[in-house]
Amino acid sequence: MPSSLDGIFDVRYGHSLELNALSQVEPAKGIAFVSRQMGENGISAYVAPIAGVAPAPAGDISCALGGNGVLTTFVQEREFYCGRDVAILRPKVSLSKQEILFYCLCIKSNRFRYSYGRQANKTLGSLSIPSVSEIPNWVNATSLDDIDDANASLGSAEAIDLPHYSTWKSFNYTDLFKVRKGKRITKSNLKEGSTPFIGAIDSNNGYRQYVDVKPNHPAETITVNYNGNGVADAYYQEKPFWASDDVNVLYPKFEINSHIAMFVCTLIRQEKFRFSYGREWHLERMNGSTIRLPVNSEGKPDWFLMEKYIKSLPFSASI
């Protein structure tokens, strides 16, 4: 039968240290500082030893209790300190390295249970995981060499907490973008070619087919469907393309990249509820619309924070 996590592991709260209050040193001279970071085994820096504070020993497990990386779980290969909201787990029974890694994956698989409003601080120990007798045979039969770099595709930046939405500021689309309308193309011109044809569809980045026409919009812009089932679906276009007349194209007045675009496109899609077949998000209406964004100390869109946030998400390296 399954066991509770605290039936197999001793669970205790970590050191809860603040990195900005510590002295960072070279890895060879310091102690690993483990935060809620989702890559690099959770290690965000190396710090000088702290008088009166004993580091956790090598072989213990770190587990993030909150943030974007909640339940990110790692076996630590060297002694370490913990940042805030990180728990330390130590097996109560003898486990092989493969078995410990198996349990790390079991813990991570419970991430769906948590969010910003529900952290794992009080409930980690009660999570249900397989008992030792239920560990599959393939676990110990697996070579550790086969799982090297298993987290290489995960976001590697430290977990980022966005400021509360009430502190965000509204901006007119026309303050941030030049908004252009797509153009109709006749069926006779829909011959196979090399130019992406972007239509008002709700999948595949808006791509419909490749056509034999010159692009009518440049790369590094955002397409937004203004009618149909895909209304308000927004996509970042990395190549020059032809946009149909059911699509508005946003030309950014700021320096954009795929990570910033991912953040902005997600917010644009939240506007779907405002539109329907009888209420299109046409050019004139978009020019009068606003978008709410996090801001910096100057009250301007905090593009750096938006990029950093997207990079902190799982699998962001694949963007």
Side-chain angles (χ1 to χ4, degrees):
M1 293 181 62
S3 170
S4 64
L5 189 146
D6 57 11
I8 300 175
F9 295 92
D10 175 56
V11 182
R12 61 188 178 89
Y13 204 71
H15 304 93
S16 197
L17 300 172
E18 294 290 346
L19 180 58
N20 59 11
L22 306 178
S23 299
Q24 297 190 38
V25 297
E26 297 178 4
K29 299 179 180 180
I31 294 173
F33 181 87
V34 176
S35 66
R36 295 175 297 169
Q37 180 168 300
M38 290 181 285
E40 304 297 332
N41 226 54
I43 300 172
S44 56
Y46 292 87
V47 299
I50 306 169
V53 180
D60 276 7
I61 299 168
S62 63
C63 180
L65 298 173
N68 293 325
V70 62
L71 293 196
T72 299
T73 311
F74 299 108
V75 182
Q76 297 301 328
E77 303 290 345
R78 54 189 288 182
E79 60 181 6
F80 63 99
Y81 291 127
C82 290
R84 62 185 181 89
D85 295 325
V86 178
I88 299 174
L89 313 182
R90 183 175 299 169
K92 294 180 177 180
V93 296
S94 178
L95 297 173
S96 67
K97 180 71 171 291
Q98 287 96 327
E99 290 170 337
I100 292 175
L101 291 172
F102 169 74
Y103 277 123
C104 287
L105 292 174
C106 292
I107 295 169
K108 289 179 186 178
S109 70
N110 286 276
R111 291 186 65 181
F112 72 94
R113 302 179 186 277
Y114 301 96
S115 64
Y116 282 109
R118 177 178 166 80
Q119 297 191 342
N121 302 66
K122 296 182 179 180
T123 58
L124 179 64
S126 63
L127 288 179
S128 179
I129 59 175
S131 65
V132 175
S133 63
E134 294 176 312
I135 297 175
N137 292 332
W138 58 261
V139 171
N140 283 301
T142 301
S143 170
L144 294 179
D145 293 336
D146 294 337
I147 53 176
D148 282 348
D149 300 324
N151 293 296
S153 64
L154 297 178
S156 59
E158 186 172 359
I160 300 297
D161 291 333
L162 291 172
H164 193 274
Y165 187 72
S166 63
T167 67
W168 296 20
K169 180 180 176 181
S170 293
F171 297 88
N172 292 326
Y173 274 86
T174 52
D175 291 337
L176 306 176
F177 304 95
K178 291 181 180 179
V179 186
R180 299 287 185 263
K181 191 175 183 295
K183 186 176 181 180
R184 179 178 294 276
I185 186 171
T186 62
K187 287 186 178 180
S188 61
N189 288 324
L190 290 176
K191 298 176 181 178
E192 185 176 351
S194 59
T195 298
F197 177 55
I198 306 300
I201 58 178
D202 58 1
S203 61
N204 204 26
N205 218 60
Y207 162 78
R208 188 179 294 276
Q209 65 190 93
Y210 284 96
V211 294
D212 188 23
V213 296
K214 291 183 178 180
N216 63 351
H217 295 283
E220 299 182 340
T221 52
I222 293 174
T223 56
V224 183
N225 303 338
Y226 73 77
N227 65 12
N229 291 329
V231 65
D233 280 325
Y235 305 105
Y236 179 58
Q237 304 300 335
E238 295 187 294
K239 297 180 180 180
F241 60 96
W242 182 284
S244 79
D245 60 342
D246 293 318
V247 174
N248 290 329
V249 184
L250 309 184
Y251 287 60
K253 296 180 180 180
F254 54 92
E255 187 173 345
I256 197 170
N257 57 43
S258 59
H259 295 93
I260 295 173
M262 185 70 69
F263 191 101
V264 173
C265 287
T266 300
L267 295 177
I268 293 174
R269 293 188 189 105
Q270 302 308 306
E271 300 297 302
K272 271 182 171 291
F273 74 97
R274 301 183 188 276
F275 304 99
S276 64
Y277 283 105
R279 179 180 167 79
E280 298 177 343
W281 204 3
H282 51 61
L283 186 66
E284 293 76 14
R285 189 165 279 147
M286 178 166 277
N287 280 332
S289 298
T290 61
I291 183 172
R292 198 169 176 87
L293 299 169
V295 295
N296 57 27
S297 59
E298 299 176 348
K300 298 179 180 179
D302 196 338
W303 305 119
F304 176 76
L305 174 64
M306 297 179 219
E307 179 178 4
K308 191 175 180 182
Y309 174 75
I310 294 297
K311 286 182 175 180
S312 77
L313 299 178
F315 306 105
S316 61
S318 299
I319 296 175

